[in-house]
Amino acid sequence: MSAISLEKLTKVYSTGVRALDGLDLDVGDGEFVVLVGPSGCGKTTALRMVAGLETISGGTVRFGDRVVNDISPRQRDVAMVFQNYALYPHLSVAENIGFALTNKKIPSAERQRRVRLAAEILGLSDLLNRKPAHLSGGQRQRVAMGRAIVREPSVFLMDEPLSNLDAKLRVQMRSEVLRVHKAIGAATLYVTHDQVEAMTMGDRVAVLHGGVLQQYGTPRELYGRPANLFVAKFIGSPEMNLFEASVSGDELVLGSQRLTLGPAETVLAPYRGRKVIAGVRPEDLELGGGAGGAALGADVRVVEMLGSELHVFFAIDAPAAAASALAATAGEAEAGLLTGQTLGGVARLDPRSAVRSGQRVTFRVDPGRLHFFDPDTGAAVR
Amino acid sequence: MSSSTEVIAPARRETAARRAPGGRRSAYARRRGRSGLAFVTPFMIVFMLFMIVPLIYAIYQSLYTTKLIGGTTFSGFANYSTVLRSGPFWGGVIRVIIFGGIQIPVMLAIAFFFATIFDLGVAKWGRIFRAIYFVPFAVPIVVSSLMWGFLFDPAYGPFNRFMNAIGFHNFNWLSTNLMVPAIIIIAIWEWTGYNSIILYTALKSVPRDVVEAAILDDTPLWKIILRIKLPLVRPAIILLVFINTIGAMQLFIEPTILNNYQAGVVTNTWTPVIDIYSTAISNGEYQLGAAMAVVLAVVIIAISVASLVFRNRRREFT
Amino acid sequence: MSAPALAPPAPPDQAQARAETRRERKRRERLEERDATIPVELYGLRQGTVTLLTACCVLFAAFTLVPIVWMIINSTKTQANIFSSFGFWFARPFEFFHTFANLFRDVDGDGTYARWFYNTVLYSVVSGVGATVLAALGGYGFARFEFRGARLLFAVVIAGLLVPITLVVVPLYLVYAKVHLINSIWGMIMPSMVTPINLYLMRTFVELSIPRELLDAARIDGASEARIFFRVALPLMVPGLMTVLLLSIAATWNNYILPLIIFSTNNLFPATVGMGLWLQHAGNSGDTNLFPLLVMGGLVTIIPMIALFAILQRYWRGGLLLGSAAN
Ligand SMILES: Nc1ncnc2c1ncn2[C@@H]1O[C@H](COP(=O)(O)OP(=O)(O)O)[C@@H](O)[C@H]1O
Ligand SMILES: [Mg+2]
């Protein structure tokens, strides 16, 4: 049985904005689920409906087997960490953390014990008498978590808790958050717009776009088998390369080049003689043609040295995925952005590779590593 | 660095302007400073002429005495000692302190109550109520005193008739004992809406997520209001106490106007400003009036500073 | 072919569309405000409490409106009826227009209300505009320039907030006597133009709403300081200017003590002082036939102010007093 399950959860604001459309999601006991998507896709809305802060326009929210739609947030036993922390500015760290316990009429000794324990877990023991104004961003973030964990909630919600921290601290806090999650073991729904955060933290990750769930699965599934063009583009950095191609016999026609498909051919049977969108991850392109795969010739445009790896931006004469196909899943603005970007792609290579801009290179591609998407619906072809 | 900069630097210490690395203000900064001065000059000139000059003149005048025989002579602090020993003047000061001491807390409590209702969005038609409550702010005090004078009139005012009808015979809102309460009612009518709107603005700036966090913490409403919102708008409340105190200490128009409905209650020394007006303008003893005005200013400044000290001592957050 | 035929109706359509969008914007703003306030149920309030609180609001609204309603009702009555009839209902004869017409006549030899009203408008508008101009220049100067003595000057102005007006008004009278400003309209207008609070509000507004970078960008583009002020800063200062204008006009409109002291000619009185004079005469001599005029005069005095606040309320930034840009 799931700790949290959402069924056809829908939110239409009174302005008419449909912020969330039929979200189905379940979070197991003690599971850490990440809700990820670009800004404005309805993540906060979903989280706030789970908390009970936003009225539900349609669908149900269950905690265990109990429907909580009509239960006040006061009685839901949820704890939430807000994006801006929402600390009480006039109360000290200790008072902030212990505030909920005073409402529960928990005796002072017990309260102090729990506050001290939470402070210890979070490394706040020396700051208990400070006011939030005198804390750093990371410390405030910890206080916000402390305030949530003293309550020993059954459901733990976090709305972009790390997005106000600087890059370095953010990375550090990721493992911190996970450690706290392990310590309290509550089912957690974690919202972020950062796909790296989602991939590194989530037991499972739900990708949301335009209020609609795109895919829900483990990070490995999302990365390895994206359900549609949006997920393919959104997860992974640098992004997956997408090309408009057509299928002719057992070959994929990419501009003037032809790639032998091998076993992938059967999947594409329905697309024979038609267009399809082919995708390949940057790390699946290897330098040097020849044995065991199809070859793809490309002109190197820009080479970016990152130290641990080399990003090689290249051009081929195949058109990038058409706007219409991306629009099906990605929305118009997004589609414009995607097509405008490349008439080629990027490869992630060994930093020792000798590649210079202007050079003509041949990439070897394992056809089994290619992803295919329907150009009209954007759905993965499997 | 040359010695000339050493000489110039201390004289310019008070300026906050950016300096060139050499320690001298760059020509650019100086030009900018000059334009800044140009912008503030018109205000400052009028301010000096019509505020500072009269103020200094008042202090100067307060040190002189004009006698029927002998003309105007320097008399040092004679006027001040007259004021400081004047029972009626201090009686007036105490009266306005009592007036403010009751009116301001009562009004702020009412104002905070309604500001909270607006902020919570509890009442329907909040916008309409806010608009209505703000109306008295647009009514000149002379006119509001006039209206309330009619309503309180001992002979035919509806409020006195009402009191008579429910059994209080010969009730008079404008009698000696009830004049201060009557003016308190008028002042509450005049200022509650304005204060309430200011507090509402302050309450609105309490971040929504802080309140939501409190809700998730299962905080009862009274505690959200008194333990979270109230402390967070305290700077606004202190500011309002400050402004209202300065106003209350200068009570003048309401009693002056009401005096025309019920003669004999409001005396020439009823409030300090009435006292100053009748001394300086009606009686022509303007040097004594000036001394009274200076003393009143000192009292007001003392009260204000005291409240600021209180505020600083209790400052917990910024 | 059909295109030209369709062309003529287009402009009205467009006009209507524009009107629609304005109404729609209002609607959207209202709805957004609704979405942005926390639903009342979350506070754990019962419906009964909500009703009770609404009742409190109605009660206080009634308290607020009582004197105004009384004034509206009694502006239609004869002097006898003001005394004898029930105060909160109409009584025949309907004298509204008769009384209104009397505002244009010198009824008792003290002066004509219409003249006083004209003076009020004149003083308020001239000093209001003047105050706004001075505060705009000064507030901008203090907010966005650093110059020697700036802090000191500003502190002096702010200290002026604490000075009782009487401390200024009494000596103003004496100074005016020396420089022949008694019974001069400038003696009324000039001091009304320098309220310390205006400068404070304007400086706050500029600090909150005009970024330094914007001005620096204009400087790099080679604009003169005057041009920057008029073309870059001023358009952004409109809500602040309107707030100051509204407050200054209201302050002069309501002013009583300054004109009371500096004017001795009835012709120069503003409405407040004129009505005070009428009331004094009515009280002293029992000349009660002035009462309908006082009621009517009071009504006429407040209506323009209420209208002005209603019209300009969307620019109103009361939050400036608290040092925030909120309204
Ligand atoms: N209170 C509201 N009223 C109207 N629309 C809203 C409100 N809150 C959010 N929205 C809209 O709902 C959509 C989703 O918002 P949100 O859940 O905040 O997105 P996210 O958290 O993913 O960035 C957005 O288009 C946003 O404009
Ligand atoms: Mg969000």
Side-chain angles (χ1 to χ4, degrees):
Chain A
M1 190 186 56
S2 310
I4 312 170
S5 50
L6 312 181
E7 213 173 275
K8 297 261 164 297
L9 196 60
T10 300
K11 176 71 189 182
V12 184
Y13 283 106
S14 33
T15 44
V17 176
R18 185 172 278 269
L20 199 65
D21 201 352
L23 175 65
D24 289 311
L25 199 72
D26 62 299
V27 182
D29 283 323
E31 196 179 13
F32 195 97
V33 169
V34 177
L35 202 52
V36 68
S39 159
C41 71
K43 307 176 298 285
T44 299
T45 304
L47 204 66
R48 289 168 54 81
M49 283 199 285
V50 175
L53 294 172
E54 207 72 67
T55 52
I56 293 173
S57 314
T60 49
V61 177
R62 280 199 189 80
F63 289 173
D65 50 10
R66 190 167 64 126
V67 175
V68 296
N69 279 31
D70 295 324
I71 290 182
S72 150
R74 294 165 178 276
Q75 272 95 51
R76 287 195 191 188
D77 194 23
V78 298
M80 182 158 168
V81 174
F82 292 81
Q83 184 169 0
N84 298 311
Y85 316 134
L87 301 180
Y88 308 122
H90 57 300
L91 300 183
S92 69
V93 168
E95 288 168 322
N96 260 287
I97 296 178
F99 194 77
L101 303 180
T102 65
N103 296 333
K104 287 186 179 165
K105 306 252 166 17
I106 288 177
S108 152
E110 163 71 2
R111 190 172 74 225
Q112 280 170 20
R113 191 188 64 76
R114 277 162 74 171
V115 169
R116 268 200 301 272
L117 186 69
E120 219 165 278
I121 292 177
L122 292 161
L124 289 169
S125 300
D126 298 336
L127 304 171
L128 284 174
N129 293 321
R130 293 252 192 109
K131 294 273 157 64
H134 303 296
L135 298 177
S136 71
Q139 289 165 339
R140 284 180 212 182
Q141 209 283 320
R142 283 166 212 256
V143 177
M145 299 231 304
R147 203 170 58 174
I149 64 176
V150 277
R151 295 183 32 203
E152 299 168 0
S154 53
V155 168
F156 202 165
L157 307 175
M158 296 193 231
D159 189 1
E160 312 213 11
L162 306 185
S163 66
N164 284 343
L165 304 180
D166 63 59
K168 205 164 173 184
L169 197 55
R170 192 151 57 209
V171 174
Q172 191 185 324
M173 285 303 289
R174 275 188 220 154
S175 54
E176 193 87 344
V177 170
L178 287 180
R179 192 170 59 79
V180 171
H181 166 70
K182 291 250 158 49
I184 62 167
T188 302
L189 195 52
Y190 181 104
V191 160
T192 179
H193 66 265
D194 179 355
Q195 58 97 12
V196 179
E197 217 169 283
M199 297 295 279
T200 51
M201 297 177 75
D203 293 330
R204 281 193 287 170
V205 175
V207 181
L208 206 56
H209 185 240
V212 178
L213 182 65
Q214 306 292 315
Q215 190 172 3
Y216 184 33
T218 62
R220 189 178 290 272
E221 283 165 5
L222 295 189
Y223 193 77
R225 293 173 60 81
N228 58 33
L229 273 175
F230 178 78
V231 178
K233 271 280 192 191
F234 190 74
I235 302 287
S237 173
E239 291 174 358
M240 182 188 282
N241 302 304
L242 294 168
F243 304 104
E244 205 175 86
S246 56
V247 186
S248 147
D250 59 352
E251 288 185 319
L252 191 67
V253 182
L254 258 177
S256 60
Q257 309 190 46
R258 288 171 168 265
L259 273 67
T260 316
L261 281 168
E265 180 200 355
T266 46
V267 184
L268 287 176
Y271 290 86
R272 198 155 288 159
R274 284 174 50 200
K275 282 200 179 351
V276 72
I277 290 173
V280 59
R281 295 258 177 222
E283 64 271 25
D284 292 334
L285 292 169
E286 281 174 56
L287 211 50
L296 184 64
D299 296 312
V300 176
R301 288 284 153 83
V302 179
V303 177
E304 279 181 359
M305 175 64 186
L306 272 71
S308 63
E309 61 197 43
L310 205 62
H311 290 180
V312 175
F313 293 86
F314 60 84
I316 58 174
D317 60 354
S324 68
L326 288 168
T329 51
E332 284 164 51
E334 205 86 20
L337 200 111
L338 292 173
T339 47
Q341 189 188 358
T342 54
L343 255 172
V346 55
R348 191 144 102 192
L349 302 179
D350 187 295
R352 282 169 297 251
S353 317
V355 180
R356 283 170 291 104
S357 60
Q359 201 180 342
R360 173 84 187 172
V361 294
T362 307
F363 291 118
R364 196 174 60 228
V365 190
D366 175 358
R369 296 293 186 90
L370 287 176
H371 303 261
F372 298 104
F373 302 94
D374 186 287
D376 298 324
T377 65
V381 177
R382 284 177 186 155
Chain B
M1 282 279 90
S2 71
S3 61
S4 72
T5 49
E6 298 288 337
V7 177
I8 291 166
R12 286 182 170 165
R13 188 166 294 154
E14 81 273 25
T15 168
R18 271 169 258 154
R19 284 152 197 263
R24 292 182 50 178
R25 283 153 55 100
S26 66
Y28 175 68
R30 241 175 299 140
R31 205 168 60 235
R32 283 278 303 282
R34 232 177 290 138
S35 356
L37 207 55
F39 277 111
V40 306
T41 298
F43 184 96
M44 292 314 297
I45 287 177
V46 184
F47 182 78
M48 289 295 163
L49 285 180
F50 289 89
M51 196 124 179
I52 303 296
V53 167
L55 219 108
I56 293 169
Y57 193 65
I59 294 168
Y60 166 80
Q61 282 286 332
S62 70
L63 301 173
Y64 284 79
T65 307
T66 303
K67 294 230 170 63
L68 268 176
I69 312 154
T72 304
T73 50
F74 181 77
S75 60
F77 291 99
N79 287 325
Y80 286 97
S81 89
T82 310
V83 176
L84 292 175
R85 280 186 284 113
S86 159
F89 177 80
W90 291 103
V93 171
I94 289 169
R95 185 173 285 114
V96 290
I97 288 178
I98 292 173
F99 162 75
I102 300 171
Q103 183 255 333
I104 295 170
V106 171
M107 174 193 65
L108 284 178
I110 300 174
F112 183 77
F113 175 76
F114 287 112
T116 303
I117 290 183
F118 296 146
D119 175 54
L120 298 182
V122 173
K124 267 192 197 166
W125 319 296
R127 270 163 191 261
I128 296 172
F129 283 126
R130 285 201 297 277
I132 291 175
Y133 293 3
F134 200 70
V135 165
F137 185 70
V139 177
I141 296 178
V142 170
V143 177
S144 52
S145 308
L146 198 84
M147 296 187 300
W148 281 98
F150 280 115
L151 293 172
F152 282 147
D153 189 282
Y156 52 84
F159 283 27
N160 280 337
R161 279 195 206 168
F162 174 76
M163 295 309 270
N164 279 322
I166 62 170
F168 293 92
H169 293 290
N170 298 322
F171 194 91
N172 184 357
W173 278 101
L174 302 181
S175 59
T176 309
N177 289 335
L178 290 180
M179 186 61 99
V180 171
I183 294 177
I184 288 176
I185 291 177
I186 298 175
I188 287 175
W189 181 85
E190 284 163 348
W191 297 112
T192 304
Y194 177 72
N195 284 273
S196 173
I197 301 295
I198 298 283
L199 284 174
Y200 168 64
T201 309
L203 284 171
K204 269 204 308 190
S205 68
V206 173
R208 180 182 180 174
D209 56 3
V210 170
V211 179
E212 287 177 337
I215 289 173
L216 291 179
D217 283 349
D218 196 16
T219 314
L221 180 61
W222 69 265
K223 207 168 159 188
I224 293 180
I225 293 169
L226 296 182
R227 291 284 148 76
I228 293 176
K229 294 209 169 184
L230 187 61
L232 290 181
V233 300
R234 210 179 54 198
I237 292 177
I238 288 169
L239 184 75
L240 290 176
V241 167
F242 204 69
I243 293 173
N244 285 302
T245 305
I246 294 171
M249 296 294 290
Q250 301 184 56
L251 187 62
F252 175 74
I253 300 177
E254 293 92 336
T256 308
I257 296 291
L258 291 180
N259 187 40
N260 296 310
Y261 293 88
Q262 174 66 65
V265 173
V266 175
T267 59
N268 279 344
T269 58
W270 209 70
T271 73
V273 176
I274 294 178
D275 203 353
I276 293 167
Y277 176 78
S278 58
T279 306
I281 309 296
S282 309
N283 298 349
E285 300 176 66
Y286 46 79
Q287 289 118 339
L288 185 58
M292 289 168 128
V294 173
V295 171
L296 179 64
V298 170
V299 171
I300 290 177
I301 290 168
I303 293 176
S304 310
V305 170
S307 73
L308 277 187
V309 168
F310 174 76
R311 175 196 170 169
N312 284 343
R313 213 185 50 215
R314 296 273 319 264
R315 183 171 5 226
E316 290 161 348
F317 58 93
T318 41
Chain C
M1 228 179 85
S2 60
L6 283 174
D13 266 17
Q14 253 173 14
Q16 204 183 7
R18 221 174 300 129
E20 269 304 298
T21 52
R22 195 177 304 138
R23 203 181 313 138
E24 271 169 13
R25 184 172 55 86
K26 279 242 171 77
R27 196 183 109 87
R28 185 174 44 80
E29 277 168 5
R30 212 180 53 239
L31 291 175
E32 273 168 3
E33 187 185 318
R34 204 170 79 195
D35 278 333
T37 46
I38 300 172
V40 179
E41 305 85 63
L42 296 192
Y43 293 113
L45 279 181
R46 263 174 273 118
Q47 189 55 45
T49 322
V50 172
T51 314
L52 193 73
L53 293 176
T54 310
C56 288
C57 287
V58 172
L59 223 62
F60 195 78
F63 170 67
T64 304
L65 292 177
V66 155
I68 291 168
V69 168
W70 183 90
M71 199 152 69
I72 293 170
I73 289 172
N74 284 269
S75 68
T76 67
K77 290 182 184 174
T78 60
Q79 166 238 337
N81 274 334
I82 291 177
F83 288 109
S84 57
S85 71
F86 174 59
F88 290 99
W89 196 243
F90 297 91
R92 285 172 177 283
F94 186 81
E95 284 285 87
F96 184 89
F97 295 106
H98 178 234
T99 314
F100 189 80
N102 274 345
L103 292 181
F104 296 89
R105 300 191 1 217
D106 186 349
V107 174
D108 70 333
D110 279 337
T112 314
Y113 176 87
R115 172 77 206 183
W116 297 332
F117 185 81
Y118 165 79
N119 291 338
T120 292
V121 173
L122 177 74
Y123 303 155
S124 303
V125 171
V126 175
S127 71
V129 170
T132 311
V133 170
L134 292 184
L137 289 167
Y140 177 73
F142 279 118
R144 286 293 172 250
F145 289 91
E146 289 141 359
F147 52 92
R148 218 191 314 175
R151 281 156 174 271
L152 180 72
L153 284 181
F154 191 72
V156 167
V157 175
I158 290 308
L161 280 175
L162 295 175
V163 175
I165 28 165
T166 32
L167 184 53
V168 178
V169 167
V170 171
L172 261 185
Y173 171 76
L174 302 178
V175 175
Y176 283 0
K178 287 219 156 75
V179 297
H180 306 293
L181 274 174
I182 300 277
N183 288 330
S184 148
I185 64 166
W186 296 107
M188 173 76 202
I189 288 170
M190 295 306 282
S192 305
M193 290 189 348
V194 282
T195 333
I197 194 89
N198 287 343
L199 189 74
Y200 168 76
L201 293 178
M202 221 46 238
R203 191 187 76 143
T204 309
F205 188 82
V206 172
E207 275 177 350
L208 293 172
S209 58
I210 301 182
R212 275 175 202 281
E213 293 74 30
L214 186 65
L215 306 177
D216 285 339
R219 285 189 188 109
I220 288 167
D221 290 345
S224 69
E225 291 298 339
R227 192 178 157 80
I228 293 171
F229 175 74
F230 285 108
R231 304 304 294 272
V232 180
L234 212 53
L236 296 173
M237 285 160 70
V238 168
L241 295 174
M242 287 300 181
T243 304
V244 167
L245 182 68
L246 210 50
L247 283 174
S248 315
I249 290 182
T252 311
W253 196 276
N254 298 348
N255 203 343
Y256 179 69
I257 189 160
L258 176 67
L260 179 69
I261 289 177
I262 64 166
F263 290 138
S264 56
T265 315
N266 293 16
N267 255 342
L268 290 171
F269 286 170
T272 48
V273 177
M275 286 191 296
L277 184 67
W278 268 354
L279 186 66
Q280 203 182 339
H281 280 191
N284 286 350
S285 64
D287 181 7
T288 52
N289 59 27
L290 281 175
F291 280 11
L293 277 175
L294 279 167
V295 174
M296 179 64 80
L299 192 61
V300 173
T301 310
I302 66 177
I303 284 172
M305 283 320 289
I306 293 178
L308 195 65
F309 272 92
I311 292 167
L312 295 185
Q313 58 137 320
R314 66 199 177 99
Y315 296 108
W316 174 253
R317 297 288 185 277
L320 283 178
L321 196 59
L322 308 171
S324 82
N327 46 18

